[in-house]
Amino acid sequence: QVQVVESGGGLVQSGGSLRLSCAATGNRFRFWVMAWYRQAPGKQRELVASITSDSSTNYADSVKGRFTISRDNAKNTMYLQMNSLKPEDTAVYYCNTRSSLLNWGQGTQVTVSS
């Protein structure tokens, strides 16, 4: 069973930066369209960004110009560089395939203070 493990979250002030990582097991990672999602308290999980196997990317309007998604297929790892963070970016961040095929991991908490 393929698993994903998210890391890199933390507490940061508004305007700060964080880099999240998503490590996946198995040998099919390089074929998947991967994505970052987030869930804020009391809200539904939402798609933040996605990246194809050849690194074409898409972003939610709320993070365009501030977040950058990337991947290293040799390391089975995906990243999310988050700059100019805002308090409304506070959430638990998860990774999965774009179609949410995998079991959800524990996520990593991102808290942005004002």
Side-chain angles (χ1 to χ4, degrees):
Q1 183 72 28
V2 176
Q3 292 183 321
V4 290
V5 178
E6 303 93 346
S7 62
L11 173 63
V12 64
Q13 289 188 334
S14 182
S17 298
L18 285 172
R19 189 192 194 206
L20 306 184
S21 297
C22 167
T25 61
N27 59 6
R28 297 193 61 78
F29 173 84
R30 65 186 183 276
F31 299 118
W32 295 329
V33 179
M34 293 297 296
W36 283 99
Y37 301 81
R38 66 186 180 187
Q39 187 167 20
K43 295 187 177 181
Q44 288 189 330
R45 188 174 291 162
E46 65 174 351
L47 177 67
V48 174
S50 63
I51 184 166
T52 66
S53 57
D54 61 351
S55 296
S56 294
T57 59
N58 275 290
Y59 298 91
D61 287 344
S62 59
V63 306
K64 277 182 182 176
R66 300 188 298 122
F67 290 10
T68 302
I69 189 172
S70 62
R71 68 191 296 164
D72 184 338
N73 289 335
K75 295 182 179 180
N76 273 18
T77 302
M78 177 176 66
Y79 305 97
L80 186 68
Q81 177 65 44
M82 306 187 296
N83 299 328
S84 302
L85 282 162
K86 304 175 181 180
E88 50 264 44
D89 295 317
T90 295
V92 179
Y93 284 70
Y94 302 89
C95 63
N96 207 317
T97 66
R98 179 62 180 87
S99 52
S100 303
L101 290 176
L102 306 176
N103 291 331
W104 292 97
Q106 294 295 310
T108 186
Q109 175 71 47
V110 172
T111 303
V112 184
S113 62
S114 58

